[in-house]
């Protein structure tokens, strides 16, 4: 029997999956073209298990050490995504925990991740984070520097770069948010053509704007609150 709180989460996930499918259909895409990354930052391993039980196979975490403890505590199989910023000194641990990294934003970080991935014998999938809003509080590469960074990153032997990630402007009118997502998609298309490489993925859209992101071509949407409800104060730690 699923506890009442668990039933509420499962119901939210079912509703959100239907919304994503409808948004994808509006632009002629299938629901399978969009993967929901369930963001379990600060939540216990049971949140991961609920998400997987509801059919979500992709789990997003912001912090390397929290994800390491949580993944080891989980009893289910999932694909783990790092969606928060990453320091170079944690690159070695990150490539051992995560199946994909969404937040590559510099050449030194690319080199560190590539070296760490080669030590493990695999190429880690990565997305380049774009600061499309120009906000000083956001990480990411300015749009005009994305091509130069990607030109270097695609040559790193330990990396499999296949798209871009962006965070939409918070609290802005829908037409402004849509324009930002559209700009990221156009940037992806332009850079892909210029470099002659496939960049199929766009990671964009969170709880407040994911439907706009899907309509503008997102292949990953990173959802926390809309799936799990408001987070309580404090956060999960191993053994808590």
């Amino acid at each position: 029997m699923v506890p009442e709180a668990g039933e509420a989460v499962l119901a939210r996930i079912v509703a959100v999956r239907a919304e994503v499918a409808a948004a994808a259909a509006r632009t002629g895409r299938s629901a399978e073209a969009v993967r929901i990354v369930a963001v379990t930052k600060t939540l216990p391993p049971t949140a991961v298990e609920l998400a997987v039980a509801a059919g979500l196979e992709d789990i997003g975490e912001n912090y390397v050490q929290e994800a390491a403890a949580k993944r080891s505590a989980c009893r289910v199989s999932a694909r783990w995504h790092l969606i928060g910023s990453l320091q170079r000194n944690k690159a070695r641990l990150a490539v051992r925990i995560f199946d994909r990294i969404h937040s590559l934003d510099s050449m030194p970080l690319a080199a560190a991740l590539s070296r760490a991935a080669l030590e493990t014998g695999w190429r880690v999938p990565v997305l380049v984070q774009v600061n499309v809003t120009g906000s000083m509080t956001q990480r990411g590469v300015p749009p005009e520097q994305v091509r130069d960074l990607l030109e270097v990153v695609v040559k790193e032997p330990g990396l499999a770069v296949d798209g871009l990630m962006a965070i939409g402007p918070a609290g802005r009118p829908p037409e402004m948010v849509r324009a930002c997502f559209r700009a990221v998609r156009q940037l992806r298309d332009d850079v892909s053509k210029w470099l002659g490489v496939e960049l199929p993925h766009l990671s964009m859209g969170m709880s407040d704007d994911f439907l706009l992101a899907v309509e503008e071509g997102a292949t990953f949407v990173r959802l926390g609150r809309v799936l799990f409800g408001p987070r309580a104060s404090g956060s999960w730690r191993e053994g808590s």
Side-chain angles (χ1 to χ4, degrees), residues 132 173-184 216:
V132 70
E175 59 270 20
M176 183 179 293
V177 178
R178 184 185 293 278
C180 284
F181 290 148
R182 186 174 296 158
V184 176
E216 293 303 326

Side-chain angles (χ1 to χ4, degrees), residues 2 26 42 44 66 73 78 80-81 84 89 91 108 154 159 181 217 229 235 240:
V2 178
R26 287 195 289 272
T42 77
E66 181 179 343
W80 291 73
H81 300 246
N89 62 2
V154 296
L159 304 182
F181 290 148
S235 61
S240 62

Side-chain angles (χ1 to χ4, degrees), residues 9-20:
V9 169
L10 293 174
R12 290 192 196 98
I13 291 174
V14 169
V16 168
R17 293 184 73 180
E19 290 183 281
V20 167

